[in-house]
Amino acid sequence: MCGIIAAASTRNVGKLLVQGLHKMEYRGYDSAGIALHQNESIAHLRALGKVQLLENKMIAEKPKSKLGIAHTRWATHGEPSEINAHPHKSKDSVYIVHNGIIENYVDLRESLIGYGYEFSSQTDSELIAHLLDLHMNEGNSMLDAMYLAKEKLEGAYAIAAIDIKDNTNLVVARNKSPLLIGLGTDEMFAASDPLAIAQMTNDFIFLEDGDVAEISANSYKIFDSSKKEVTREVTHIDISNQATSKGDYRHFMEKEIYEQPEAVSNTIDGRIGGEDVLDNIFGLGSSDLFAKVKRIQIVACGTSLHAGRVAANWFSSIAELPCQIDYASEYRYRNPHVDDDSLIITISQSGETADTLAALSYAKEKNYLASLAICNVPTSSLARESDFVLFTNAGPEIGVASTKAFTTQLAALMLLALSLAKSKDLNPKLRGRITNALRLLPEIISESLLQKEQIVAIAPSIANKDNALFLGRGIFYPIAKEGALKLKEISYIHAEAYPAGELKHGPLALIDENMPVIALAPESEIAEKLISNLEEVKARGGTLYVFADPSVKMDVKAGELVHMPKCDFFLTPIVYNIPLQILSYEVALLRGTDIDQPRNLAKSVTVE
Ligand code: M6R
């Protein structure tokens, strides 16, 4: 999704800004641009496509500047094009970059046209530059103009702006879209993502909704929504270069798949002890609160929602709690009835997903006992806005396709199921069994990564197809859904998932030699029924790729049977997900897609 970086420094900032844009490429974007203050003029460069193309323009033009703003755009209003790329300007004097969506842009645009402003783009963002210009022409400073503009803007935004008449200061504003200030030596930055400026500073100030700040090389001032100057906490974060570089891997996704044993260790470490989960790992008072919980509501999106679907089964089986689960984007619109003593759980890698944040904010108005987040980014809005949090500690996930974030979300959700059961004094033996199994999980994930060779051999027979079907039953159905999502996301092959028993109710009609069927067949009480479902596929000429418990001895004919390492039944969904990630990756590699930044997608979806 869109990325903002801005800098005020005593040295040239052009290179730093482009470097920052490169660091945000993982978020997904379609164009990039920069505006650099050059005292008499502002250098304005934009490019459709990769940041490298913008960098080539910079190399050709060599603009020198100590104050600038830059942006990667992920199109919402108006096609991806150079003209729609940010920064946008008003009369060669005010330049802005914007993340988010201005919901009342049609009305505002019309009213600005009434004032004589001309629009050159189809975006909802350009009007912000005109609005600032309008108020500055009334004699207001950029800071005051930003407040006046804010009164009119509806929707989510993070904005950075510069003005031709001021070669020292830039002004930023935040409302429901992430924005932070980075504190350097003789230089200050603003960015939507700490990774963008992590090479320049480790000290960040996360702005709050309603904040406006004025930033120069040696100072910054932050004002809250009522224009009162405020002090916000400085957070020190070390983001190592190793965590944000590919190393010897071909893609971040590949690196992140193979990092999973360590990532899961980091999720579990210090959170279990002896035969049980430790108390209060979700925050002070969480164990007491869990004793009161009678119902659970989960909201999340995409891969995180799939983690929630697996967890719903664990909450029921281990903690004996009913659980309802909703797409975050739908939850608010179904008029949910909230029973007494319900806990709302949000799951999000980034903690900045607009749909999930909006669902949480809606839920806060309801009578939930408390809100709890499973999140990978400690500085995220979700973490700050939830009553209780457990960080997955997966380290930065750069590939758009979620891999280690999913696996660690599952490990964290299992800790939650165990904690809820412990607070209610339920199933102590089962808790002990699962706790011990959790300790072995990183090793079993390492074992499952060794199946790479067998999966590499399968990949060509899927890479040349247009469709694929994923099958799983019970707790493996969400894993099948996640497998299908991963394949379509990075290889652009149409993939669907079904609970295997549903096949005969319709989808069986799709089966022929062009429809590979990928099935999950762990040891379970319904293993035999699943095998019968797979026989139905085989009988109709379907090619089967079955990831199965070693006890499954099925003859798959044209396809392949891959035996999975054994582990405790409750943790098998985590392990069976690993080969599906590798399969998607290997298939996408053969199809030559942009694996880390698949077309049309963004890492952190900050618009509703
Ligand atoms: O950051 P979040 O976990 O809230 O993101 C939710 C989805 O956008 C995300 O999981 C998406 O589905 C992934 N790209 C899938 O790989």
Side-chain angles (χ1 to χ4, degrees), residues 249-251 253-255 257-258 403 449 451-464 486-487 490-491 493 547 578-593 595:
Y249 290 97
R250 291 163 290 183
H251 296 94
M253 181 183 180
E254 186 184 30
K255 176 178 179 240
I257 289 174
Y258 291 93
T403 51
L449 290 168
Q451 284 153 331
K452 179 182 169 185
E453 257 178 54
Q454 212 178 343
I455 297 168
V456 168
I458 295 172
S461 45
I462 295 181
N464 63 8
K486 216 91 301 177
L487 186 70
I490 59 165
S491 72
I493 292 174
F547 295 91
I578 307 290
L580 301 189
Q581 296 173 343
I582 302 177
L583 183 65
S584 295
Y585 177 77
E586 296 297 336
V587 168
L589 206 56
L590 291 173
R591 288 170 70 98
T593 55
I595 294 183

Side-chain angles (χ1 to χ4, degrees), residues 125-151:
S125 307
E126 186 181 351
L127 68 88
I128 300 169
H130 298 314
L131 208 47
L132 289 174
D133 184 73
L134 178 77
H135 293 307
M136 287 166 76
N137 285 343
E138 293 161 355
N140 294 294
S141 66
M142 168 87 90
L143 187 83
D144 291 338
M146 187 65 90
Y147 273 96
L148 291 167
K150 265 162 51 70
E151 281 174 19

Side-chain angles (χ1 to χ4, degrees), residues 332-368:
R332 287 181 291 162
Y333 305 107
R334 73 164 170 82
N335 205 2
H337 169 78
V338 181
D339 283 318
D340 287 346
D341 303 321
S342 297
L343 175 70
I344 179 128
I345 298 175
T346 54
I347 309 167
S348 172
Q349 186 285 130
S350 61
E352 298 296 353
T353 300
D355 288 324
T356 309
L357 287 170
L360 174 62
S361 134
Y362 174 86
K364 281 178 154 180
E365 304 297 313
K366 302 269 170 182
N367 60 323
Y368 285 102

Side-chain angles (χ1 to χ4, degrees), residues 243-410:
T244 58
S245 77
K246 283 199 284 248
D248 290 336
Y249 290 97
R250 291 163 290 183
H251 296 94
F252 279 107
M253 181 183 180
E254 186 184 30
K255 176 178 179 240
E256 286 154 8
I257 289 174
Y258 291 93
E259 273 174 357
Q260 292 182 104
E262 194 190 336
V264 167
S265 288
N266 291 339
T267 312
I268 300 164
D269 277 359
R271 288 164 171 172
I272 52 176
E275 301 273 295
D276 225 330
V277 64
L278 300 178
D279 289 335
N280 291 320
I281 58 170
F282 291 83
L284 214 59
S286 55
S287 292
D288 285 345
L289 179 109
F290 290 170
K292 297 184 203 143
V293 172
K294 295 211 180 88
R295 259 166 208 287
I296 289 174
Q297 167 73 55
I298 296 178
V299 288
C301 306
T303 291
S304 299
L305 185 89
H306 295 153
R309 288 198 193 284
V310 176
N313 181 304
W314 291 338
F315 294 148
S316 168
S317 313
I318 302 166
E320 301 178 15
L321 284 168
C323 178
Q324 170 113 23
I325 177 150
D326 282 84
Y327 292 104
S329 54
E330 292 291 323
Y331 168 71
R332 287 181 291 162
Y333 305 107
R334 73 164 170 82
N335 205 2
H337 169 78
V338 181
D339 283 318
D340 287 346
D341 303 321
S342 297
L343 175 70
I344 179 128
I345 298 175
T346 54
I347 309 167
S348 172
Q349 186 285 130
S350 61
E352 298 296 353
T353 300
D355 288 324
T356 309
L357 287 170
L360 174 62
S361 134
Y362 174 86
K364 281 178 154 180
E365 304 297 313
K366 302 269 170 182
N367 60 323
Y368 285 102
L369 263 184
S371 60
L372 181 151
I374 302 291
C375 185
N376 191 35
V377 182
T379 50
S380 62
S381 307
L382 194 71
R384 274 179 283 134
E385 286 166 25
S386 302
D387 300 323
F388 297 98
V389 191
L390 188 85
F391 296 114
T392 46
N393 297 342
E397 189 181 68
I398 309 286
V400 163
S402 215
T403 51
K404 64 174 179 173
F406 179 63
T407 312
T408 53
Q409 281 169 349
L410 288 171

Side-chain angles (χ1 to χ4, degrees), residues 309-310 313-314 469-482 497-505 517-537 546-547 569-570 572-574 576 580:
R309 288 198 193 284
V310 176
N313 181 304
W314 291 338
L469 211 55
F470 285 71
L471 302 178
R473 294 197 68 145
I475 202 165
F476 292 87
Y477 172 50
I479 299 299
K481 281 181 85 65
E482 173 59 12
Y498 274 95
E502 270 296 297
L503 259 194
K504 55 188 177 297
H505 299 292
V517 176
I518 296 126
L520 303 172
E523 190 175 27
S524 79
E525 55 186 17
I526 50 171
E528 279 178 14
K529 288 197 192 320
L530 176 94
I531 302 299
S532 308
N533 301 145
L534 299 186
E535 288 295 343
E536 291 160 12
V537 172
V546 187
F547 295 91
F569 173 75
F570 280 107
T572 39
I574 305 183
Y576 276 59
L580 301 189

Side-chain angles (χ1 to χ4, degrees), residues 46 76 100 207 233 248 263 302 318 376 379 439 489 496 584 596:
R46 295 181 290 177
T76 58
L207 295 178
E233 194 189 337
D248 290 336
I318 302 166
N376 191 35
T379 50
R439 285 197 181 89
E489 189 176 20
E496 291 300 327
S584 295
D596 282 335

